Amino acid sequence: MSFSTPPRPLDVTALFPQLAPLARTATRLHPRPGSPTPYESSVGGPLLWPADEPWPHCEEPHDSEASDEMHSPDEIRLLRRIRTAAAERRLRDPQAPAVTPEEQEIEQRLSTGHPWFDGPIPMIPVAQLYARDVPLPGSPPGADLLQVLWCPCDHEDFAHPRTALRWRSSASVTDVLDAPPEPPVIQFDWYLPMPCVLAPEQVTEYPSPMELSKGLQQQLGDESRWEAAGYAWNATGAETPQEFYFRNLCHAPGWKTGGWTRWGLTDPMPRPCPECGTETIPLLTVASREWDPGSKSWMPEEERTNPTPLPLGIRPANVTLLTIADAYDLQLHVCPVSSDHPHIELVQ
């Protein structure tokens, strides 16, 4: 499986040469539903976790007011299976029942969910990335594997899962944990990722328009400059040249490592390491979608010409089934000085 991001609508460095030295490489992960093993890079797949190493738990206070209905991981998987089966049944026969008595019984039985669970919660795998597949910014010497887990509950001081990072040498793991613990409940169904295999692809990114100098921002917004270059930026539906640049030229949407920080929910702000004060760097973006109507130019060529078969009910733009803070991204930044320093979580 491979995916190819279409060439950008124009060479932005030809129009704005000042951007050329600001180029960075990002690696789009292109997650797609599959059955990854612990020995593969994945989203939501099993981890290469040592059998003798304790599994991480979240012991911080959780937001007990955030959800009235919670399910266990197995219940979420069951609900997803029966909804997929129902969609496939209706596709084969439009006259088939939308729900069978057995499916209705399951839906009703699980509709009440579970009461709030108060106590340490086992974290769940979010991503596993091998350096042989994906460049890993900030990786410590000797580490060739990054594992990302999160607590599947909101917390009192922020409305998104709390993450944990583990760097390790894959060769040092000889006895793999077969059955890691799972949380008794997950606060929202969209905090349990669909297991996905990856098809990494490197692309070039540039800074958000809000991170550019004032002079370059003014040039970027000069419509006559775009017209002189013969490119009708407004033909894409963008309301301003800056919006066109933001959605189509500066940074790729979706799951990725490296590249530039994607701003939008807030203005750019410093991201110093909590331990040493060094400016942190983007490591991993956990995305709610791979693209949206405004950034569809990033949709891979293969998805346009020969779409990947997906289970019914799963949209190509959100194959992981995750949603962060009403369809934003969770960006993890790490300290370039030491991987032992705390990482930063940024929702944008």
Side-chain angles (χ1 to χ4, degrees), residues 252-266:
W255 287 71
K256 62 184 178 181
T257 60
W260 281 91
T261 302
R262 183 182 180 91
W263 300 98
L265 185 60
T266 68

Side-chain angles (χ1 to χ4, degrees), residues 181-259:
E182 289 196 317
V185 292
I186 290 179
Q187 192 151 16
F188 300 107
D189 295 2
W190 51 86
Y191 283 170
L192 179 66
M194 170 72 73
C196 290
V197 295
L198 308 181
E201 177 203 18
Q202 293 190 339
V203 296
T204 300
E205 294 192 340
Y206 300 97
S208 163
M210 293 185 286
E211 290 199 87
L212 301 176
S213 67
K214 292 297 183 182
L216 189 48
Q217 287 186 41
Q218 291 175 353
Q219 292 181 34
L220 195 66
D222 183 356
E223 297 183 11
S224 64
R225 192 181 185 99
W226 295 81
E227 292 169 359
Y231 189 79
W233 57 266
N234 52 358
T236 66
E239 295 184 0
T240 64
Q242 293 97 324
E243 181 185 354
F244 170 75
Y245 170 81
F246 176 78
R247 294 191 175 277
N248 298 280
L249 301 178
C250 63
H251 35 51
W255 287 71
K256 62 184 178 181
T257 60

Side-chain angles (χ1 to χ4, degrees), residues 1 9 16 51 77 88 118 141 159 186 195 210 236 266 299 301 306:
M1 181 178 65
F16 304 101
R77 297 181 186 113
E88 292 176 345
D118 196 8
I186 290 179
M210 293 185 286
T236 66
T266 68
M299 184 179 181
E301 296 280 11
N306 187 26

Side-chain angles (χ1 to χ4, degrees), residues 29-177:
L29 301 184
H30 296 304
R32 295 298 182 272
S35 300
T37 73
Y39 304 95
E40 296 173 288
S41 295
S42 66
V43 164
L47 304 183
L48 188 78
W49 196 271
D52 59 354
E53 182 176 321
W55 189 263
H57 287 61
C58 179
E59 301 186 12
E60 297 186 8
H62 300 100
D63 184 4
S64 60
E65 304 297 327
S67 177
D68 296 327
E69 175 185 317
M70 296 182 292
H71 295 113
S72 71
D74 281 342
E75 289 170 345
I76 294 173
R77 297 181 186 113
L78 174 59
L79 288 169
R80 289 175 178 175
R81 287 197 299 271
I82 65 174
R83 289 164 186 169
T84 297
E88 292 176 345
R89 181 172 62 248
R90 294 296 297 273
L91 181 64
R92 292 192 302 268
D93 179 8
Q95 303 304 315
V99 59
T100 66
E102 294 79 8
E103 293 167 348
Q104 186 174 27
E105 187 277 328
I106 293 173
E107 295 262 9
Q108 290 178 342
R109 174 165 52 86
L110 300 183
S111 63
T112 56
H114 294 281
W116 178 253
F117 175 81
D118 196 8
I121 295 181
M123 291 186 158
I124 60 177
V126 175
Q128 174 167 268
L129 304 175
Y130 284 87
R132 64 173 184 260
D133 302 321
V134 182
L136 300 173
S139 60
D144 68 340
L145 179 61
L146 169 66
Q147 295 169 328
V148 181
L149 306 93
W150 71 20
C151 168
C153 296
D154 287 347
H155 293 69
E156 294 179 351
D157 53 348
F158 47 85
H160 63 78
R162 191 61 177 267
T163 55
L165 307 183
R166 293 292 186 274
W167 296 97
R168 67 175 80 250
S169 165
S170 59
S172 68
V173 184
T174 55
D175 188 10
V176 181
L177 182 64

